[in-house]
């Protein structure tokens, strides 16, 4: 399993628009083949910073999503709202403490 974490900083005036976009597309992203989990988190002290946290069956599944028309549409609309460059990490779990 691959854990994908993306941190995005939005222009303050674009936060509501981003939230609308996320709510309109979240089910399509979550139901994309290979996506096992999707979360959106908001920074506690900086409300224009969001983090997506998703689980993918494999890197191939993530890449298939990134090569899809859905990603192309969502990412184009999302990045137009950025105030800064996003940070993205592909990781694997090493230890999980229940």
């Amino acid at each position: 399993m691959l854990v994908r974490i993306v941190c995005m900083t939005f222009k303050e005036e674009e936060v509501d628009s981003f939230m609308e976009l996320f709510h309109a597309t979240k089910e399509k992203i979550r139901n994309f083949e290979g996506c096992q989990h999707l979360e959106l988190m908001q920074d506690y002290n900086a409300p224009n910073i969001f983090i997506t946290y998703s689980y993918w069956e494999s890197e191939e599944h993530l890449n298939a999503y990134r090569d899809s028309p859905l990603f192309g549409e969502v990412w184009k609309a999302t990045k137009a709202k950025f105030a800064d460059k996003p940070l993205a990490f592909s990781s694997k779990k090493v230890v999980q403490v229940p």
Side-chain angles (χ1 to χ4, degrees):
M1 176 180 39
L2 181 144
V3 179
R4 183 71 171 177
I5 301 166
V6 181
C7 181
M8 302 167 286
T9 303
F10 292 95
K11 300 171 193 165
E12 290 183 18
E13 65 273 15
E14 295 287 359
V15 169
D16 290 340
S17 177
F18 167 70
M19 289 300 298
E20 289 174 18
L21 175 64
F22 185 82
H23 286 299
T25 57
K26 65 185 178 187
E27 295 298 327
K28 292 177 186 175
I29 298 167
R30 172 56 186 90
N31 291 313
F32 198 89
E33 184 178 351
C35 184
Q36 299 176 340
H37 179 83
L38 176 64
E39 287 182 51
L40 178 67
M41 295 174 271
Q42 186 176 29
D43 187 277
Y44 194 81
N45 294 306
N48 65 319
I49 298 176
F50 288 83
I51 297 168
T52 57
Y53 184 75
S54 56
Y55 296 168
W56 294 86
E57 287 180 30
S58 68
E59 186 174 19
E60 291 76 22
H61 286 95
L62 173 61
N63 288 337
Y65 167 65
R66 293 179 70 205
D67 291 337
S68 73
L70 173 61
F71 177 82
E73 180 182 318
V74 171
W75 192 244
K76 181 179 179 181
T78 301
K79 70 181 184 179
K81 303 172 187 333
F82 287 159
D84 202 355
K85 291 180 100 174
L87 298 172
F89 305 91
S90 291
S91 309
K92 61 182 176 180
K93 285 187 183 183
V94 176
V95 175
Q96 180 173 332
V97 180

